[in-house]
Amino acid sequence: MSVDTRVDLGGIALRNPVLTASGTFGYGTEFAPFLDLRRIGGFVAKSLTLEPRFGNPPPRIAEAASAMLNSISLENVGVDAFLNEKLPALPEGVVVIASAFETEIERYGEVCARLDAAPGVAGIEVNASCPHVKSGGIEFGQDPAVLAQLVRTVRKATRGPLLVKLSPNVTSIAEMARVCEGEGADGISLINAVQALDVDVERRRPVLANGLGGLSGPAIRPIALRMVWQASQAVKIPICGIGGIETAEDAVKFLLCGATAVQVGTRNYLDPAAAGQVAEGLESWAKSHDLARISDLVGALEMPRR
Ligand SMILES: Cc1cc2nc3c(=O)[nH]c(=O)nc-3n(C[C@H](O)[C@H](O)[C@H](O)COP(=O)(O)O)c2cc1C
């Protein structure tokens, strides 16, 4: 029996539910020699700003237990170079989700407007985990009022599918998910990296030159599963689950917790073809469990009632 692997992520038609996560997959072209990008549902490109930007100074990547700590930050080629150079270099038939971020809300709107008008962009994921200059550096996704204003602005600037990627560094992910739904987002992606710090005891300094960084990889997976489940209980719009996914079984866990699709992130650094294996493994898993559709798994977790 064949398995129907297709899913609809807020208006983005995916051949299977496995994407790759922003910032871990470049602009897609870097990975094309290792993985046929049509084996996966699609990919989310590195977050883009209006102007090209450099990231933080090195060291900006460090290893942690079952995880990676990074402070790459804002580095990207800028929205116009992405549209004019990176996007046309991709093979036909690849689903590309562009990621947008900025330091001010109006600028987010402008990045999204440029991406929305571009042929070849299947949807936009707005990265709400960036520091908001006017709020003294607090992340956009950490304050419900600021998040609402952000989603309202980018919604006005776009007609195509709009996903909002939430920060895990909040008390109530359900509240943030409701804000996104209320302001017209078509879907939610979560989680971004967890704010973290590691220390070099000899130098008595943080390991990363920037001080704080974001923790990603298998260590954050149970946190991500918890947040996906909580968000899925709070909203009806689809959720894209992210955090430490390495295998098909990890992906199944996210679907059971309520994710319609998933993204593979840090694992790409260890194995550039990992997302293809997760996609094919998911199909095999569904076959071996007699499922007609992979989407039958979405939200099927049996959580004990309290
Ligand atoms: C080196 C690195 C760079 C990242 N850059 C971005 C980025 O530009 N935009 C974004 O939304 N998320 C970025 N992320 C976060 C990932 O997309 C993902 O949400 C997070 O790493 C958790 O998934 P994982 O544990 O599978 O890596 C980055 C993560 C890493 C490790």
Side-chain angles (χ1 to χ4, degrees):
M1 192 180 72
S2 71
V3 180
D4 185 352
T5 59
R6 294 166 302 170
V7 293
D8 184 312
L9 181 63
I12 308 172
L14 302 174
R15 62 176 74 83
N16 67 56
V18 182
L19 306 163
T20 54
S22 179
T24 68
F25 208 72
Y27 302 100
T29 44
E30 301 88 334
F31 283 75
F34 309 102
L35 170 67
D36 178 351
L37 302 180
R38 286 160 293 211
R39 276 169 64 196
I40 54 178
F43 78 91
V44 187
K46 173 76 184 165
S47 295
L48 299 161
T49 45
L50 279 179
E51 313 292 338
R53 296 189 73 137
F54 291 110
N56 286 320
R60 52 188 197 170
I61 283 189
E63 200 170 334
S66 294
M68 170 173 163
L69 192 58
N70 94 84
S71 61
I72 306 282
S73 186
L74 307 166
E75 183 157 329
N76 75 97
V77 296
V79 64
D80 293 334
F82 171 74
L83 292 174
N84 299 330
E85 295 160 29
K86 304 292 182 186
L87 204 53
L90 286 163
E92 291 256 317
V94 178
V95 173
V96 184
I97 299 175
S99 168
F101 80 106
E102 262 297 349
T103 49
E104 288 172 31
I105 286 179
E106 303 70 38
R107 293 173 68 89
Y108 260 104
E110 180 56 33
V111 177
C112 288
R114 290 193 203 177
L115 291 169
D116 193 56
V121 174
I124 299 174
E125 183 181 82
V126 171
N127 175 3
S129 296
C130 304
H132 181 210
V133 172
K134 289 184 184 158
S135 300
I138 187 173
E139 292 175 19
F140 287 89
Q142 284 180 314
D143 179 330
V146 174
L147 182 64
Q149 211 189 332
L150 171 64
V151 182
R152 206 173 305 141
T153 302
V154 293
R155 181 70 286 178
K156 275 198 197 123
T158 53
R159 286 189 304 170
L162 179 67
L163 310 174
V164 181
K165 183 165 175 184
L166 292 176
S167 166
N169 307 310
V170 296
T171 307
S172 170
I173 199 75
E175 180 182 10
M176 300 306 178
R178 278 191 217 105
V179 165
C180 296
E181 185 174 56
E183 296 296 341
D186 297 308
I188 298 166
S189 302
L190 69 155
I191 60 176
N192 212 313
V194 178
Q195 204 174 44
L197 170 67
D198 201 2
V199 172
D200 178 336
V201 291
E202 296 305 331
R203 292 167 55 243
R204 299 191 180 191
R205 294 180 70 90
V207 165
L208 299 177
N210 183 55
L212 301 184
L215 195 70
S216 64
I220 70 166
R221 191 168 56 236
I223 301 173
L225 286 167
R226 185 264 295 175
M227 289 193 150
V228 165
W229 181 76
Q230 287 177 328
S232 77
Q233 299 302 297
V235 294
K236 293 201 168 55
I237 53 175
I239 294 171
C240 194
I242 321 165
I245 296 174
E246 300 201 299
T247 65
E249 199 166 303
D250 295 338
V252 171
K253 292 181 187 182
F254 277 87
L255 298 188
L256 290 173
C257 287
T260 294
V262 296
Q263 296 176 18
V264 176
T266 299
R267 183 70 196 174
N268 298 314
Y269 284 88
L270 289 160
D271 175 2
Q277 286 150 22
V278 173
E280 280 141 23
L282 193 54
E283 187 174 357
S284 310
W285 194 95
K287 254 186 210 155
S288 66
H289 289 74
D290 291 328
L291 293 173
R293 287 175 300 267
I294 280 186
S295 58
D296 290 343
L297 289 167
V298 177
L301 181 73
E302 292 179 25
M303 183 63 102
R305 288 189 190 281
R306 279 174 296 159

